[in-house]
Amino acid sequence: MTRSSRPSGPHTIRLVCAVAAAGALLTGCGSDNADSTAQPEKNPPSRAVPASAPASPSAGLTMDQIKRKALIPAAKVGYEQALRAAVSAAPNSEPIAAELKGTPTSPYWETAVAASDGTVHSVRVDAVSGKVNQSFTESDDAYDKKRLAARLAKATVTAQQAAQTATEKTKGTVSSLELGDADNGNDKVAWSVDVVTTDDWYKTTYEIDATNRKVLHMDVDKD
């Protein structure tokens, strides 16, 4: 009977060494003094780096800028249409003020128109539909009415002309305007007009002479 003999000796040692080398576990084999310290991998596996979160659309903006960014686009009705609605609600009057207020879901224009004797009518106009929501006559005293009547008599520049002068200087959306006394005194009457630029949501305020449309003062609010 022929027996198949089991491999032994040097052949067995060589086989074990080959397995150890393939696993990078031993640098030598078959010797009592072999260094069995594992060697570091030459090309360690790359580790996935989490992607950075996209920047917030409001990143870097102040609270006032965020409010303007939300409110201005929500208003489908501009100041001109709002003032026309206000004058229709109070005939024989002319615009003296308008300001965009409210929230992005419920924007409105708070407007004021006045008769030649200084009687003021406050009119709230929906900034989406253009409809008048509220209208009432203010109970100003005789002194305030007299002062306003004097301003109206001096002012030859309309609200629309003042707004046009401001937006020619700064391209943007008119968010507020008001007729009043000039800051530098001298009995001048002036329009204050706020223009919001929709690329950075800054607000620029112009003081415009209500007799000749000259810019008396300009200030940029970056907050």
Side-chain angles (χ1 to χ4, degrees), residues 107-119:
Y108 64 88
W109 286 97
E110 193 71 63
T111 71
V113 294
S116 58
D117 65 353
T119 300

Side-chain angles (χ1 to χ4, degrees), residues 36-184:
S36 59
T37 304
Q39 297 300 312
E41 297 175 333
K42 293 182 179 180
N43 297 309
S46 60
R47 293 178 174 81
V49 178
S52 57
S56 168
S58 299
L61 299 181
T62 67
M63 188 59 66
D64 286 341
Q65 286 173 295
I66 292 172
K67 289 180 180 178
R68 294 177 200 132
K69 185 177 180 179
L71 184 59
I72 296 294
K76 308 306 179 185
V77 170
Y79 79 95
E80 290 183 280
Q81 185 176 342
L83 289 178
R84 285 196 296 269
V87 171
S88 296
N92 301 317
S93 63
E94 54 185 296
I96 58 171
E99 182 178 3
L100 182 61
K101 294 184 176 181
T103 65
T105 57
S106 184
Y108 64 88
W109 286 97
E110 193 71 63
T111 71
V113 294
S116 58
D117 65 353
T119 300
V120 177
H121 299 274
S122 291
V123 184
R124 180 172 293 185
V125 180
D126 189 296
V128 176
S129 67
K131 295 181 179 179
V132 173
N133 290 336
Q134 189 181 60
S135 178
F136 62 91
T137 302
E138 294 187 7
S139 56
D140 293 332
D141 58 31
Y143 176 73
D144 288 337
K145 291 176 66 175
K146 184 177 180 180
R147 288 187 62 191
L148 179 54
R151 287 194 204 107
L152 291 172
K154 289 180 181 179
T156 57
V157 175
T158 67
Q160 289 84 353
Q161 289 172 332
Q164 182 181 9
T165 297
T167 52
E168 285 174 354
K169 301 292 184 181
T170 299
K171 303 301 181 183
T173 300
V174 174
S175 62
S176 175
L177 53 84
E178 183 177 7
L179 180 66
D181 295 327
D183 288 341
N184 61 0

Side-chain angles (χ1 to χ4, degrees), residues 193-214:
V193 183
D194 290 343
V195 180
V196 175
T197 44
T198 55
D199 56 344
D200 51 21
W201 304 105
Y202 292 161
K203 180 180 72 176
T204 303
T205 301
Y206 285 93
E207 186 181 54
I208 299 168
D209 194 309
T211 63
N212 56 24
R213 297 179 69 171
K214 289 183 178 179

